[in-house]
Amino acid sequence: MSYSIITKPSFLSDLLNLNRDLQNRITTAIRELEISPDVPRGDTIKKLKHLEHQWRYRIGDYRMVYAVYPEQHIVQLLGVGPRGEIYNRLRYNPDEPDYGNFGKVLEKALDPNQETPADWQKYLFPKSSTQSESRTLPYYLSVTQLNKWHVPSQFHSLFQNCKTEDELLGLNVPQEILLHVMNCIWPPDIAGITQSPNLLINQPSDLMRYAEGDLLTFLLALDEDQRKLVDFSLSGPTLVKGGPGSGKSTVALYRVGVIIRKAIAEKKPVRILFTTYTNALVKASKQLLQRILESEHAVKSDLVTLDVQTLDSISMRISSSGSDRPFVANESDLKYSLISARASFQPEGTNPSENAMIKKAIDELRDEYLLEEFEWVIEGRGLGNLEEYLKTDRVGRGYSFDARMRKAVWQLYQGSRNFIHQLRQTTWGELRLKAIEKILNGEWNERWDYVLVDEAQDLTPVALSLAVELCTSPKGIFLTADALQSLYNKGFAWKNVHSALNIIGRTRVLKRNYRTTRQIAEAAATLLDNNDAVEDEETLDQFFVHTGPAPKVFVAQNEDEMLIWLAHEIQSAARELRLPTASAAILLPTNELARSTATRMNALGLRTDYMAGRDLDLQSQTAKAITIFSSKGLEFPIIAIPYVEEGYIPRSLPDERAEDLDKHLKQELRLLYVGCTRSMRRLLITYREDRVSRFLRDLDGYIWQLCDFRP
């Protein structure tokens, strides 16, 4: 069985500093390592003394250092360079008679299966090593030097104008190119290497593509559990569950590549639908799929049809086929219809006192609550009549309705929808049901062989049923979900998934977190624990690959101080992580705040763009100011969340009755949790002292770093 080759970004940068002959010899050597990486061969292949997994390959005066993990069949490329230089960077002295405890330290640090924090963190990452101030470039970045590093010529002038590290980090260039240049200027030590991602090499020739200037070739490597799910049998429906950062979406995206390659190998046409809930995720998925398919050499073929869109966009297309495009009621129209229905509402019972009681109970229900009941319970579950509504399970909705209340709610629902129809409008729930009806009646024949549904927890049972009907067979359905991240569904239950598909025995849980550091995840989880919002605890039972500093919280005296601190900390975090400031996302509770914050950040010298969901561009070379809703399903190395304040997070209720407030706060807290867990390495939270959110009033100073402002 051949070994999978993964590499650190620094190894790729090392490669570019070598001449073409050495690059070719290294590529040849890696082909050999695919077969027998841990078999000594004279003075060419040797195990490093006192280390369990580390080996070196000699190429003249140069050494290629790598690690071998036989159980996982992985070879990890760490660095290559002149003997003394590469050993010094890895803090390895082969001439010492006893390498001592650092051997064990290095083993733990470089182990790709490291799951829990260990003592090596303190050893490898002393506080003094943190780079918090901008450095001056050690030399001028000439055209000759940039060409040697294969930096595309269109970026040369940008790099040549840089004199400091901060100027580098603010460049409008792809992150991969910037990281490569920084690795060349300041080669990382063992700390930098261990914190960098594992990148997958599909075949050794990829290295030569990189050496020739294709700096965007590589993607994150999958671990053994993720790879098993990517290659899991295509002959049945599958549900993949997991917490934030477990790689559910990545698995689904890679699975598309597997399906395509299989179709091409078998010369069979295949139609694939990759769908998710929001337009922002659709756009992000398109960008990631393009990279994955390019990286995995899934060539374009007339045999393959790949569609990436939301289920609602498909519902609209199906429902409008053969007729005019329907108009879907917006939030204000829905609220107007409910208010109108309320105005004419009278219970249909015969007992006057009972009618008065029911009328009073209905009047006390908030508009928002009733609209959710209509959307998520009645239309979301496809209830077609009162009898079905009387029998349905409403667990998780907060209020327990008896038969009399259900009759009244149904009456109000019908009245509300009559007003919508008078406006010649419909709802998304009605549209989904109409789409299913047209499919079942044979009025729509377009199907996909495979339907992959990302973020399934945000879909109603009707939407899930639509996904099933769009697939030629339920066997082609692949779902990913995490109930803790549900922002839209009001009463999500796993049984709703199981009622749509027979996936018993084909449910898998990913427990290793590759996105978020242990410190960030633990801090976010305390918010949920303290507020009794955990409903699917198995998604919190995770192993963490990465560790880092505690999330920072800053209490500002005013808005100006809050935003100045935010800009300063984003720039500081970028320096520490050797990443461009474009790797940061600023999450806001509203679009208005996102737009104004972007303007303020630019005035403070941090290049930032406001992006609505439809306009979200992950490849943009600026920091991104977006809503927390738009960030769902995405990840960024640096996450900043300002305005964690009463009225924003949580949003205010017009009438804070105890029952409604408890449900509302849990939903708002889930929103904050989702925002925090978008962070990969650094989390920054700030608010104005006189407006502090109730969610942050009793923070643990050990788990959260409460900081002063020292610009």
Side-chain angles (χ1 to χ4, degrees):
M1 183 178 179
S2 62
Y3 281 70
S4 297
I5 305 295
I6 59 177
T7 179
K8 294 291 187 178
S10 56
F11 178 90
L12 299 174
S13 296
D14 289 345
L15 187 69
L16 286 193
N17 287 320
L18 307 178
N19 61 45
R20 180 51 59 93
D21 178 63
L22 279 169
Q23 290 172 349
N24 287 326
R25 292 169 69 183
I26 289 169
T27 301
T28 301
I30 292 172
R31 291 195 181 97
E32 183 178 344
L33 298 184
E34 286 184 303
I35 307 302
S36 55
D38 53 357
V39 178
R41 182 162 63 82
D43 196 37
T44 301
I45 299 178
K46 283 188 174 182
K47 191 173 179 300
L48 295 181
K49 295 178 182 177
H50 314 296
L51 295 176
E52 182 179 356
H53 296 290
Q54 277 65 44
W55 293 69
R56 65 86 165 145
Y57 193 111
R58 178 183 178 186
I59 304 172
D61 294 331
Y62 288 76
R63 301 292 186 271
M64 178 172 62
V65 179
Y66 61 96
V68 183
Y69 300 93
E71 292 183 0
Q72 292 80 33
H73 282 271
I74 288 175
V75 172
Q76 184 183 58
L77 305 178
L78 303 177
V80 60
R83 178 182 184 274
E85 179 184 306
I86 192 65
Y87 286 160
N88 182 62
R89 194 193 314 168
L90 295 174
R91 301 183 185 178
Y92 175 75
N93 185 355
D95 298 324
E96 287 186 3
D98 184 3
Y99 198 38
N101 291 331
F102 187 74
K104 298 179 181 178
V105 171
L106 183 65
E107 289 293 332
K108 292 181 179 179
L110 294 176
D111 188 348
N113 298 299
Q114 177 71 28
E115 295 175 342
T116 57
D119 292 340
W120 60 264
Q121 296 285 344
K122 299 177 182 178
Y123 190 97
L124 291 176
F125 306 111
K127 293 184 179 180
S128 60
S129 68
T130 300
Q131 182 65 41
S132 59
E133 300 296 330
S134 182
R135 293 174 285 187
T136 301
L137 298 190
Y139 45 81
Y140 173 70
L141 299 181
S142 65
V143 171
T144 301
Q145 186 64 69
L146 293 169
N147 280 331
K148 179 183 177 182
W149 294 340
H150 293 281
V151 176
S153 58
Q154 65 263 37
F155 302 122
H156 283 188
S157 61
L158 295 175
F159 281 106
Q160 288 179 289
N161 290 330
C162 291
K163 297 180 180 179
T164 67
E165 184 179 17
D166 275 356
E167 290 174 346
L168 276 180
L169 296 173
L171 288 180
N172 184 21
V173 300
Q175 294 185 29
E176 293 93 338
I177 293 175
L178 178 60
L179 177 60
H180 162 63
V181 170
M182 292 193 66
N183 282 340
C184 290
I185 299 173
W186 295 292
D189 58 12
I190 187 63
I193 293 173
T194 56
Q195 291 187 95
S196 63
N198 288 321
L199 304 176
L200 179 66
I201 296 178
N202 284 288
Q203 50 190 342
S205 60
D206 289 345
L207 292 171
M208 296 310 299
R209 291 172 58 198
Y210 188 90
E212 292 167 359
D214 184 4
L215 304 184
L216 309 179
T217 295
F218 302 98
L219 289 166
L220 292 178
L222 299 174
D223 70 19
E224 185 178 7
D225 291 339
Q226 292 170 328
R227 177 55 66 182
K228 285 180 180 177
L229 290 178
V230 168
D231 297 325
F232 192 55
S233 170
L234 300 177
S235 62
T238 303
L239 170 63
V240 177
K241 297 168 62 176
S246 58
K248 303 181 301 297
S249 299
T250 303
V251 166
L253 292 167
Y254 270 96
R255 192 168 175 87
V256 172
V258 170
I259 295 170
I260 290 176
R261 290 197 305 275
K262 181 175 182 290
I264 293 174
E266 297 177 355
K267 298 181 179 180
K268 293 181 180 179
V270 65
R271 293 177 55 82
I272 308 165
L273 172 64
F274 188 97
T275 183
T276 189
Y277 191 83
T278 67
N279 289 308
L281 280 175
V282 164
K283 187 164 185 177
S285 298
K286 284 181 178 179
Q287 295 174 350
L288 293 170
L289 271 171
Q290 183 179 357
R291 291 283 306 278
I292 286 173
L293 297 182
E294 289 175 355
S295 178
E296 298 218 350
H297 308 291
V299 296
K300 293 183 179 179
S301 171
D302 293 337
L303 294 171
V304 178
T305 301
L306 174 60
D307 295 304
V308 184
Q309 52 190 303
T310 65
L311 281 173
D312 279 348
S313 67
I314 297 175
S315 298
M316 176 64 74
R317 188 152 57 92
I318 296 174
S319 300
S320 59
S321 63
S323 60
D324 295 334
R325 182 181 177 89
F327 291 96
V328 180
N330 58 31
E331 186 176 346
S332 63
D333 289 333
L334 291 171
K335 193 163 186 176
Y336 169 76
S337 72
L338 176 57
I339 293 172
S340 300
R342 278 186 183 275
S344 59
F345 171 73
Q346 290 294 333
E348 296 175 342
T350 57
N351 187 322
S353 61
E354 188 174 280
N355 285 349
M357 181 185 66
I358 294 295
K359 179 71 162 60
K360 183 176 183 297
I362 288 291
D363 289 342
E364 290 178 349
L365 291 174
R366 291 172 47 246
D367 290 344
E368 288 75 14
Y369 183 90
L370 285 169
L371 291 172
E372 289 175 3
E373 187 79 5
F374 300 165
E375 181 181 2
W376 293 98
V377 178
I378 296 176
E379 292 180 350
R381 301 183 189 180
L383 307 180
N385 53 60
L386 174 60
E387 287 69 29
E388 292 178 354
Y389 184 49
L390 290 171
K391 296 176 182 177
T392 197
D393 182 1
R394 297 181 61 262
V395 173
R397 290 294 295 147
Y399 293 102
S400 180
F401 292 165
D402 60 17
R404 295 171 299 177
M405 276 295 291
R406 295 198 188 205
K407 288 177 181 179
V409 171
W410 184 265
Q411 183 184 341
L412 201 60
Y413 164 72
Q414 288 185 312
S416 170
R417 290 302 183 258
N418 285 337
F419 277 100
I420 289 291
H421 299 157
Q422 289 173 18
L423 296 173
R424 299 193 175 185
Q425 295 181 343
T426 186
T427 67
W428 283 114
E430 290 178 332
L431 212 61
R432 296 167 193 146
L433 284 168
K434 184 178 179 181
I436 293 175
E437 183 181 352
K438 285 192 131 182
I439 293 173
L440 295 176
N441 291 339
E443 300 175 51
W444 180 266
N445 296 316
E446 186 176 357
R447 296 286 203 284
W448 287 266
D449 302 299
Y450 296 95
V451 175
L452 298 93
V453 183
D454 195 25
E455 305 289 345
Q457 73 277 353
D458 287 326
L459 300 179
T460 65
V462 166
L464 284 171
S465 296
L466 174 61
V468 174
E469 295 300 332
L470 290 172
C471 198
T472 55
S473 168
K475 295 180 179 180
I477 295 289
F478 187 89
L479 308 172
T480 75
D482 175 10
L484 284 178
Q485 296 188 60
S486 178
L487 296 183
Y488 305 93
N489 197 326
K490 312 301 187 281
F492 177 86
W494 287 115
K495 66 180 181 180
N496 294 333
V497 176
H498 288 258
S499 66
L501 291 165
N502 182 22
I503 54 176
I504 298 183
R506 294 184 62 88
T507 298
R508 299 292 185 271
V509 180
L510 290 171
K511 295 197 173 187
R512 188 171 296 173
N513 189 308
Y514 285 91
R515 177 198 297 151
T516 307
T517 66
R518 176 180 59 86
Q519 288 79 3
I520 292 173
E522 286 182 351
T526 60
L527 296 175
L528 292 177
D529 290 336
N530 291 338
N531 288 271
D532 193 30
V534 178
E535 298 172 7
D536 195 359
E537 293 186 358
E538 72 176 333
T539 61
L540 289 177
D541 183 18
Q542 293 183 300
F543 302 111
F544 294 94
V545 175
H546 302 292
T547 67
K552 287 187 176 182
V553 179
F554 175 63
V555 184
Q557 298 299 312
N558 51 58
E559 188 175 28
D560 286 343
E561 187 181 43
M562 178 176 65
L563 296 180
I564 291 171
W565 178 85
L566 203 66
H568 174 267
E569 288 297 319
I570 289 174
Q571 291 170 325
S572 178
R575 285 194 297 271
E576 292 176 12
L577 297 170
R578 300 165 67 104
L579 290 173
T581 52
S583 65
I586 306 171
L587 309 186
L588 288 304
T590 67
N591 280 295
E592 292 74 19
L593 273 179
R595 189 179 289 105
S596 64
T597 300
T599 301
R600 296 288 299 276
M601 289 294 106
N602 281 295
L604 293 169
L606 181 69
R607 294 177 63 250
T608 306
D609 282 335
Y610 159 70
M611 298 180 185
R614 285 182 182 274
D615 303 323
L616 183 61
D617 183 5
L618 295 180
Q619 300 178 1
S620 166
Q621 306 309 313
T622 62
K624 296 132 184 89
I626 60 179
T627 66
I628 301 179
F629 280 96
S630 295
S631 75
K632 191 174 185 317
L634 304 176
E635 60 186 33
F636 300 89
I638 303 168
I639 286 289
I641 310 179
Y643 299 99
V644 188
E645 303 169 352
E646 292 294 308
Y648 287 129
I649 305 175
R651 294 169 294 172
S652 299
L653 286 176
D655 183 10
E656 295 190 349
R657 291 185 296 273
E659 299 87 349
D660 292 342
L661 182 60
D662 182 65
K663 180 176 179 295
H664 172 73
L665 290 178
K666 284 187 177 183
Q667 186 174 333
E668 291 291 287
L669 189 61
R670 216 177 267 260
L671 178 69
L672 180 59
Y673 171 80
V674 167
C676 291
T677 55
R678 300 309 90 201
S679 173
M680 300 169 69
R681 295 295 182 270
R682 297 291 186 273
L683 175 60
L684 311 168
I685 289 178
T686 182
Y687 56 87
R688 289 167 286 186
E689 185 175 21
D690 60 335
R691 305 186 184 191
V692 56
S693 168
R694 68 192 72 193
F695 300 152
L696 303 183
R697 287 173 183 166
D698 299 309
L699 293 180
D700 187 330
Y702 177 78
I703 296 177
W704 299 85
Q705 182 182 349
L706 309 179
C707 45
D708 298 323
F709 185 30
R710 300 190 185 96

